[in-house]
Amino acid sequence: WDRLAGTLILAVLPSRLLVDPGNATVVNQTGVQAGVYYGLAFNLTNGVVGQDAQSVSIEASGTTLSRVPVAPGARNAAPLLVAAFVTGKIGQSTPSSSATGPTYTSYNEITVTFVSNFDLTPAAGSTITIRGLSGTALANSAAVRFRSTVLRPGLTKSLDALFEFGDPAYGVWNQTAGSLVFVVIADTVGRAEYEVRFTVINP
């Protein structure tokens, strides 16, 4: 294994005789056999930084075989895909503060958009946490309703129709941490742009 080159080199053993006790036969095995399906499995450690799947190929030397690409696994099974959020943005509807005399409550809609390079799945117990919204006047709640949209190239749909985050969609709000946590109900789509909107109360 060469880490910098990202290559694994295997040696083909010379011819050898294999005895099959069940059939009392001797088989002459001469390395890699034509027309035989071979499977290789080995472990690698993913890096700490997210990355897209890599293009993998296979080739041989000695008896030269040209390099050919290896078909990747689908979605999260693609080789060396390391999960990451590619982009994230946040905005608000108003900077106005709430007031006590006369009483005025400033409801502030928060809009968060994000894109991941992988699929979030319920099978993995996926949740999404938006954190850092401290200083609001919105009390703790186990059921903060939020609206959401998924944006794909040339396509915009309501998430209420796609069920990624539930229908209706609710999250758990923690006022002290300034965080909203919601559960992934159905598989999201890698590289799709998701938009989440929910309302807090400005101090």
Side-chain angles (χ1 to χ4, degrees):
W1 170 253
D2 185 323
R3 178 176 176 271
L4 292 180
T7 57
L8 179 69
I9 300 176
L10 305 175
V12 179
L13 298 176
S15 300
R16 56 180 177 168
L17 296 179
L18 298 179
V19 179
D20 184 348
N23 297 317
T25 58
V26 177
V27 180
N28 183 19
Q29 179 174 314
T30 55
V32 176
Q33 304 294 303
V36 177
Y37 178 84
Y38 292 89
L40 302 174
F42 53 97
N43 293 322
L44 296 175
T45 302
N46 285 343
V48 296
V49 178
Q51 65 179 27
D52 289 337
Q54 304 298 294
S55 298
V56 179
S57 61
I58 189 169
E59 60 189 279
S61 60
T63 300
T64 303
L65 297 176
S66 300
R67 180 183 301 180
V68 295
V70 178
R75 303 173 69 176
N76 287 355
L80 296 183
L81 170 68
V82 180
F85 282 104
V86 180
T87 59
K89 297 180 292 184
I90 188 169
Q92 66 176 10
S93 62
T94 179
S96 298
S97 63
S98 296
T100 56
T103 301
Y104 171 75
T105 302
S106 179
Y107 293 100
N108 187 3
E109 184 178 64
I110 304 296
T111 302
V112 179
T113 59
F114 60 89
V115 177
S116 68
N117 69 344
F118 65 103
D119 301 341
L120 289 152
T121 66
S126 298
T127 61
I128 293 177
T129 302
I130 300 167
R131 194 188 309 274
L133 298 170
S134 56
T136 74
L138 181 64
N140 291 344
S141 174
V144 170
R145 177 76 182 265
F146 63 91
R147 296 182 294 112
S148 42
T149 305
V150 59
L151 306 175
R152 298 187 177 98
L155 177 65
T156 301
K157 288 186 177 179
S158 165
L159 277 183
D160 285 344
L162 296 178
F163 301 108
E164 274 96 334
F165 306 130
D167 180 24
Y170 292 96
V172 177
W173 170 255
N174 184 299
Q175 183 182 20
T176 302
S179 64
L180 180 71
V181 181
F182 50 95
V183 176
V184 176
I185 304 298
D187 291 0
T188 67
V189 178
R191 294 290 175 179
E193 183 176 21
Y194 289 87
E195 179 183 87
V196 174
R197 296 172 177 264
F198 58 99
T199 301
V200 298
I201 301 174
N202 284 346

